[in-house]
Amino acid sequence: MSLDPKDWKAFKAKAHAHLDTLLDHVEGIADGPVWQPVPAEVATRLNEPPPLAGQGLDAVLDEFARSILPYGTGNPHPRFFGWVHGAGTPSGILAEAAAAALNSNCGGRDHAAILVEKTVVSWFCRIFGLGPTSGGLLVSGTSTANLLAVAIARNGKIGASARAKGNSGIPLVGYTSTEGHSCLNKAFELLGLGGDSLRRIPVDDSFRIRNDALEAAISADLNNGLVPFIVAATAGTVNSGAFDDLRAVASLCKAHDLWFHVDGAFGSLSALSPSLRFLTDGIDRADSIAFDMHKWLHVPYDAGCILVRDLALQRAAFGGRPDYLLTGRALAGGDLWPADLGLELSRGFRALKVWFAVKEFGFDALGEAIAENCRLALLFAAKAARHPILQVMAPVSLNIVCCRLVPPSLPPERWDQFNADVVAALQEKGVAAPSTCRIDDKLCIRVCIVNHRTTERDMDILLDELVKLAERV
Ligand SMILES: *Cc1c(COP(=O)(O)O)cnc(C)c1O
């Protein structure tokens, strides 16, 4: 039974109208609230029993427009300042539709999508200066990319027996800073290394890993008979956008024969901007880099990437296929398949939306959008610092301002709760959506700008709202 439309002409008319609905939504995004809660009756409607009988496309499109489209996370909106979420682009919609039309399985074989992914990966290897033996793989995001990187580093340290024999009781330990991302712990847990084997090294006043403390920890572990194998430096921490000193970490790794991994989820892409590139100095010495296209490149979710200096090591960690998947002639051709480089066999055409975005805008314009976000962050921090009721809690090294309202009418022990309430109130009003974080154990309002639509006016609106709320108590 074919699931294709019986009347293609009628279907196309609906499809075109649907596309208009989507584009209208993005075009008018700034006019609506940043976020609004899903009303109870909508939540009830969505929680329906399995539809055994089809309801037809008209009903589905209608329900989508009424019950789902208005209740997104809000990240396309210019005053979404929460976490690190990319904004998307209108042409991302077209790229996703194009990928669905092809419906390619990008685990391997011989077709255009594989070539596109190879090309896209090679662009980023060049941007980061990884050299001729490098390569990589598109994955769901930096969490997965970090997991693959730790696995490749682990196998590299243990050697060829790692895949058959596991960790063989070798007491491996790795390092990241106290500001390193939580997904690195999950990687250590999943690989059977144990989360405690990931040492959390203290940071300096600028939230960069302390190289003296890192060196001391490595020495102490070596003296105790443990086997250090990886340092995961961060290029753009999630709390404050801080960059570890990549050159110093690279040298330490070289001295101790450790894998030098960079978690550059969003910050590494500052390499695209001439004015920010210095932040990533030393990234070209990395053994592996994890980063996202769905954050600061505005590619629709999800798209992340792992790059490895020596692609042979990635293939050694994940290569090998059963007979039915062996490389053959014609469609079964192609030498290196993406499935040889990671966990997934069936995988979508993530590379197409990246290819669309980079070719449409060019790396230069994408870098300019990143630099503009950082300019707005500095400007906001400077304006915030002028209000006695606001404290800027961390140096602004990138696109994130961590600040805190300190209304004198409230005792300091109530400031944490007050700031949390202000963030929730702004989200509920739909005016702006910052998030919270803790710095020096103080709850902060975290204003993170990852949006090519954000302007100075949006920052002023946020500042006015914050001051108004604080002055009202
Ligand atoms: C977002 C982020 C991650 C996790 O990446 P996902 O794409 O959400 O899986 C890891 N590290 C840093 C520094 C991040 O900002």
Side-chain angles (χ1 to χ4, degrees):
M1 185 195 107
S2 167
L3 300 176
D4 284 338
K6 291 190 179 56
D7 180 348
W8 275 95
K9 198 166 164 226
F11 181 87
K12 284 180 193 173
K14 287 176 201 174
H16 293 152
H18 174 62
L19 183 59
D20 275 338
T21 303
L22 302 179
L23 295 175
D24 289 348
H25 171 78
V26 178
E27 186 184 10
I29 199 79
D31 303 331
V34 180
W35 173 83
Q36 53 187 331
V38 182
E41 74 270 15
V42 174
T44 307
R45 200 175 333 132
L46 288 174
N47 182 24
E48 68 178 320
L52 295 183
Q55 298 161 7
L57 183 60
D58 288 331
V60 173
L61 290 174
D62 182 58
E63 190 177 351
F64 167 77
R66 279 189 303 130
S67 306
I68 299 175
L69 191 59
Y71 307 110
T73 0
N75 42 310
H77 193 288
R79 284 193 300 281
F80 182 92
F81 301 116
W83 307 279
V84 184
H85 285 17
T89 64
S91 33
I93 300 169
L94 306 182
E96 287 286 67
L102 275 158
N103 197 26
S104 297
N105 185 335
C106 295
R109 304 178 185 87
D110 193 359
H111 51 113
I114 303 296
L115 302 179
V116 171
E117 178 159 349
K118 256 188 202 155
T119 301
V120 163
V121 165
S122 77
W123 291 341
F124 288 93
C125 286
R126 282 228 226 150
I127 296 277
F128 292 122
L130 284 187
T133 59
S134 62
L137 184 72
L138 295 195
V139 292
S140 59
T142 294
S143 301
T144 303
N146 279 337
L147 170 65
L148 299 191
V150 177
I152 297 162
R154 189 269 313 256
N155 289 19
K157 194 65 168 187
I158 295 181
S161 69
R163 290 186 66 175
K165 307 283 183 205
N167 299 334
S168 301
I170 300 172
L172 294 170
V173 285
Y175 309 86
T176 193
S177 81
T178 48
E179 295 289 304
H181 198 272
S182 53
C183 66
L184 288 163
N185 267 77
K186 290 194 197 177
F188 271 64
E189 292 161 14
L190 280 172
L191 290 166
L193 302 167
D196 289 350
S197 303
L198 177 64
R199 312 293 201 217
R200 290 283 176 168
I201 307 298
V203 291
D204 64 16
D205 292 344
S206 302
F207 302 97
R208 302 149 63 98
I209 196 167
R210 269 182 45 203
N211 299 312
D212 59 331
L214 174 59
E215 179 138 42
I218 294 170
S219 298
D221 283 334
L222 284 169
N223 286 337
N224 289 324
L226 303 176
V227 181
F229 77 108
I230 188 172
V231 180
T234 308
T237 61
V238 76
N239 273 342
S240 68
F243 283 73
D244 291 339
D245 180 343
L246 301 183
R247 277 186 297 198
V249 175
S251 299
L252 254 181
C253 286
K254 190 158 175 59
H256 293 282
D257 191 25
L258 307 184
W259 186 272
F260 173 33
H261 175 67
V262 176
D263 175 354
F266 63 105
S268 63
L269 291 165
S270 53
L272 297 179
S273 158
S275 60
L276 299 170
R277 192 169 296 144
F278 72 97
L279 292 165
T280 57
D281 277 355
I283 202 168
D284 57 329
R285 291 166 68 185
D287 292 304
S288 55
I289 304 171
F291 68 101
D292 280 322
M293 286 93 169
H294 55 216
K295 289 180 175 170
W296 236 349
L297 286 184
H298 310 297
V299 164
Y301 283 90
D302 51 25
C305 185
I306 174 174
L307 301 178
V308 174
R309 166 178 305 285
D310 182 354
L311 190 64
L313 294 176
Q314 186 169 357
R315 189 174 197 171
F318 297 106
R321 294 182 224 138
D323 291 346
Y324 86 102
L325 291 175
L326 289 183
T327 296
R329 281 177 53 203
L331 181 55
D335 171 34
L336 185 62
W337 289 11
D340 299 324
L341 299 173
L343 295 175
E344 297 167 336
L345 177 57
S346 294
R347 47 199 296 283
F349 194 178
R350 289 191 185 104
L352 188 61
K353 54 196 175 185
V354 183
W355 185 85
F356 260 67
V358 173
K359 279 174 68 79
E360 180 185 4
F361 304 112
F363 278 117
D364 289 347
L366 293 166
E368 273 171 39
I370 287 170
E372 171 63 7
N373 287 172
C374 297
R375 188 186 73 82
L376 292 178
L378 278 174
L379 195 68
F380 179 82
K383 286 186 185 174
R386 271 185 242 135
H387 285 277
I389 215 162
L390 260 168
Q391 281 175 2
V392 177
M393 300 296 288
V396 177
S397 45
L398 203 64
N399 61 329
I400 300 171
V401 184
C402 295
C403 57
R404 183 169 152 91
L405 290 164
V406 289
S409 51
L410 283 181
E413 65 270 18
R414 286 185 51 196
W415 286 346
D416 273 11
Q417 189 57 49
F418 178 72
N419 279 274
D421 290 345
V422 163
V423 167
L426 286 177
Q427 293 176 2
E428 279 160 359
K429 269 176 84 176
V431 180
S435 62
T436 62
C437 71
R438 282 196 166 268
I439 287 189
D440 297 335
D441 208 31
K442 297 188 171 90
L443 190 128
C444 303
I445 299 172
R446 182 172 163 289
V447 180
C448 176
I449 314 166
V450 196
N451 194 318
H452 54 89
R453 301 187 178 103
T454 307
T455 63
E456 250 178 83
R457 195 177 148 263
D458 294 305
M459 304 313 299
D460 289 342
I461 291 174
L462 172 65
L463 191 61
D464 288 350
E465 290 286 332
L466 286 175
V467 172
K468 242 194 290 173
L469 284 166
E471 283 174 351
R472 208 180 293 154
V473 287

